[in-house]
Amino acid sequence: MEAPLNHANFNLNIGGIVAFLGGEEAISAMESMHFYRYRKWLGWYNSPGAYIIAKHYGRLARSQIWDGIYPGPNDEPAKLLGLDGEHGPPYRGIVSGTILSDTGHVGHVFAQHCENLETNLSQYSLNAAFIKPAQQTTNAVGTKPRHPTKAVNVIVVDLEETTSSEGAEEPGQIPVKLGDTKSPLWPVAIASVPISLNIACCIICGLYEEWFAFGVILYGILCNGIASYFIGSAKIYLKHTIPSQHSPPGNGILEYKSDTLIVCRGSEKVINYVVKGRFIVRYGHEEDKEATRYHQIGFSAMLLTTQAIAQLFLIPISGLFGQIMFLSTLAISWIYNAFLSSIDKERLQQQLLTQYLPFKNNACTGTKVQLPTRTSAVVFALLCGLPDLQGDPQANAECATEIMSNLLPKGTEVWRRWQAEVAKRIRELSSTEHSTSLPPADGPFRFAEYDDKGLKETDKNLLKVLIDDARGGYESYYEFLRPKPNAQSGLGGSPA
């Protein structure tokens, strides 16, 4: 059967560029492959950008041969798959005193998950002084309004130890099954469209005896399918460092951006999943040598390189109809890769992390509370993060002072006095005659009196404002501890 346009004096001559166009989209599409079941089996289409894909993933192969063909540093698989490389928020241990300036990729994903939680207004935010005049009720009449400041969110997350380590190859690992997302048949149905259209174009080329185009399309389908399978056949673990059995509680605060404090509560071991954890990607069998484990990746990269060379030489000598069919497969595959690239992989990583982190009571979430000022937020975070408010009063006061010094200004006399007053109240709250559930009207945070002697009038006014913030932080903490949610703020929690 004679092919259409067989006598046309026109040649698309696209073989020299198709190996480079669409490579970034194809790489981005492969990065989302591990989050869907069966996706490693769904790469049977002629993807554009074969040479770019080969150069990118060829760096995984570790041997003198592969390093010669694909020069450059042998990047870690987690980085090439988009599971590493981000910087996480700084962390400060409340009891241990640990300070980490960067909690890494896992800390970044965890902070993003916490930021997306639903916000609850704190008890202090519902104070009449912070309600806009149009929203104030008759009870707010006569209340002197506060100068508006930037609200700060405090997220409280409880983690607990788990003994489950099934499938782990070494201590401190949790095996991660990236394909355990919902609706596994949905990506299969979507992928069937480009796969079927690519195969149809290949068959049509055969029917019209466009054998060069037929061979290049078929080879491209096989190369991309094999590469997808090998790259997708990875074992992935969530790994963390194992602390000493005698380590203090790991309760600490992540400072995310300028308006979010994340209070992590739990043992040092489980907190390390967040602040010192990272994703580990392994190929092949553990008993194999490192170079041997990556031979399949090198082989698939070589197939993609030969695909690019075949396109360069064979497509220009194919008939015009064959060239159109070949270009059609690339267009279809590019649209599909662009669709996969548009998937929010950060959101998928958040779902993955929350699925495997040992949340207390399998809550898979936390409580997000908004406070109207940073000082009140720091006090609230401190009270939530101290592991034992019935413990050593002096130790609790020292921990509180250290955290306040890191999270708030400390260079003026006003701030030094305020921090001393808050530390004093925490010391009193931790003493045996007081309870962590003591109502604000009866507890030490009522601030019946405080030291403002020797200060200028402006400094006295500032200290009073800061004292009100500390009182508001404790009021919000008291509401947070209540077993039933508050009707207005929707808060509820449990002591650390």
Side-chain angles (χ1 to χ4, degrees):
M1 185 183 300
E2 186 176 3
L5 306 176
N6 197 34
H7 300 288
N9 295 321
F10 182 75
N11 195 311
L12 292 177
N13 196 21
I14 57 175
I17 61 173
V18 293
F20 300 92
L21 297 179
E24 297 297 330
E25 291 82 357
I27 291 172
S28 180
M30 283 191 172
E31 288 179 352
S32 66
M33 174 169 51
H34 301 82
F35 297 99
Y36 294 96
R37 194 178 301 173
Y38 313 132
R39 269 286 303 277
K40 70 177 183 179
W41 300 97
L42 302 176
W44 306 102
Y45 56 91
N46 184 28
S47 177
Y51 182 76
I52 301 299
I53 302 172
K55 292 289 288 184
H56 181 78
Y57 288 106
R59 289 181 295 168
L60 282 175
R62 288 159 165 77
S63 72
Q64 291 184 347
I65 296 177
W66 299 124
D67 288 345
I69 300 175
Y70 304 106
N74 294 127
D75 292 334
E76 287 297 319
K79 187 174 182 179
L80 287 180
L81 296 179
L83 294 172
D84 196 8
E86 296 289 346
H87 296 285
Y91 165 81
R92 293 176 175 85
I94 294 178
V95 179
S96 65
T98 302
I99 298 179
L100 299 175
S101 59
D102 182 7
T103 50
H105 189 88
V106 173
H108 169 76
V109 175
F110 177 77
Q112 284 188 317
H113 162 72
C114 293
E115 186 182 31
N116 293 329
L117 295 175
E118 182 181 356
T119 303
N120 301 293
L121 288 178
S122 66
Q123 185 68 20
Y124 191 38
S125 298
L126 296 173
N127 189 301
F130 293 101
I131 300 177
K132 295 180 181 178
Q135 298 175 327
Q136 289 185 356
T137 63
T138 56
N139 295 331
V141 175
T143 303
K144 186 178 181 180
R146 284 280 301 275
H147 182 72
T149 61
K150 186 177 182 180
V152 176
N153 296 312
V154 179
I155 299 112
V156 183
V157 180
D158 290 304
L159 302 172
E160 63 181 356
E161 289 197 38
T162 175
T163 57
S164 176
S165 58
E166 182 180 355
E169 295 182 351
E170 59 184 69
Q173 287 183 349
I174 296 179
V176 175
K177 297 180 181 178
L178 289 181
D180 284 350
T181 52
K182 298 179 180 179
S183 304
L185 295 180
W186 175 77
V188 175
I190 298 296
S192 64
V193 176
I195 292 175
S196 58
L197 291 177
N198 271 254
I199 294 175
C201 289
C202 184
I203 293 174
I204 292 173
C205 286
L207 292 176
Y208 285 102
E209 298 182 354
E210 290 283 356
W211 299 117
F212 290 115
F214 170 85
V216 171
I217 294 173
L218 179 60
Y219 188 65
I221 292 173
L222 294 175
C223 288
N224 194 66
I226 293 172
S228 297
Y229 174 77
F230 284 153
I231 294 171
S233 298
K235 295 179 181 179
I236 301 180
Y237 303 91
L238 177 60
K239 182 177 175 59
H240 71 100
T241 58
I242 301 179
S244 169
Q245 295 180 351
H246 308 290
S247 297
N251 294 25
I253 298 176
L254 291 166
E255 188 177 3
Y256 185 56
K257 299 181 179 178
S258 62
D259 61 349
T260 302
L261 301 176
I262 305 172
V263 181
C264 300
R265 308 195 294 192
S267 67
E268 185 84 6
K269 178 180 179 181
V270 296
I271 299 301
N272 279 351
Y273 278 113
V274 174
V275 301
K276 297 182 180 179
R278 61 193 183 102
F279 290 113
I280 302 294
V281 180
R282 298 272 176 82
Y283 283 97
H285 301 287
E286 185 64 23
E287 61 272 11
D288 295 337
K289 295 181 179 179
E290 185 180 33
T292 305
R293 282 188 272 144
Y294 293 97
H295 280 337
Q296 293 178 335
I297 304 296
F299 173 71
S300 62
M302 179 58 71
L303 289 178
L304 292 170
T305 302
T306 56
Q307 176 193 354
I309 296 174
Q311 293 172 355
L312 179 64
F313 286 99
L314 298 181
I315 290 302
I317 63 177
S318 177
L320 180 60
F321 180 74
Q323 292 177 357
I324 293 175
M325 287 293 99
F326 171 74
L327 189 60
S328 298
T329 62
L330 294 181
I332 294 167
S333 301
W334 179 84
I335 293 173
Y336 178 60
N337 284 339
F339 164 73
L340 295 178
S341 300
S342 67
I343 296 175
D344 189 351
K345 290 181 282 294
E346 290 187 346
R347 190 65 177 173
L348 292 176
Q349 290 186 30
Q350 294 171 33
Q351 296 174 359
L352 167 74
L353 187 63
T354 55
Q355 181 181 354
Y356 285 94
L357 278 180
F359 286 93
K360 190 174 183 179
N361 300 324
N362 295 321
C364 293
T365 185
T367 303
K368 184 177 182 180
V369 183
Q370 184 182 91
L371 290 103
T373 64
R374 184 173 179 85
T375 45
S376 61
V378 169
V379 172
F380 177 81
L382 266 177
L383 294 171
C384 290
L386 285 171
D388 186 9
L389 274 176
Q390 293 297 296
D392 185 352
Q394 184 59 31
N396 285 340
E398 291 175 357
C399 291
T401 301
E402 183 67 24
I403 292 297
M404 286 187 291
S405 298
N406 281 294
L407 296 179
L408 294 170
K410 58 182 179 180
T412 65
E413 179 64 21
V414 175
W415 282 101
R416 283 194 290 268
R417 290 202 189 187
W418 179 81
Q419 291 178 11
E421 291 291 340
V422 173
K424 176 182 176 182
R425 267 59 185 187
I426 289 178
R427 187 185 300 109
E428 293 178 15
L429 195 66
S430 303
S431 62
T432 54
E433 65 262 24
H434 291 294
S435 169
T436 57
S437 59
L438 201 62
D442 301 324
F445 274 84
R446 69 185 184 278
F447 289 97
E449 57 182 40
Y450 54 88
D451 180 21
D452 61 354
K453 297 178 181 178
L455 295 176
K456 295 184 296 185
E457 191 63 28
T458 54
D459 290 340
K460 288 182 179 181
N461 293 333
L462 175 59
L463 180 58
K464 183 181 183 303
V465 169
L466 298 178
I467 290 295
D468 289 340
D469 284 344
R471 184 187 296 114
Y474 177 76
E475 289 174 358
S476 301
Y477 170 71
Y478 176 75
E479 290 297 322
F480 177 79
L481 289 183
R482 296 182 66 174
K484 291 183 180 180
N486 181 274
Q488 289 179 296
S489 64
L491 297 182
S494 58

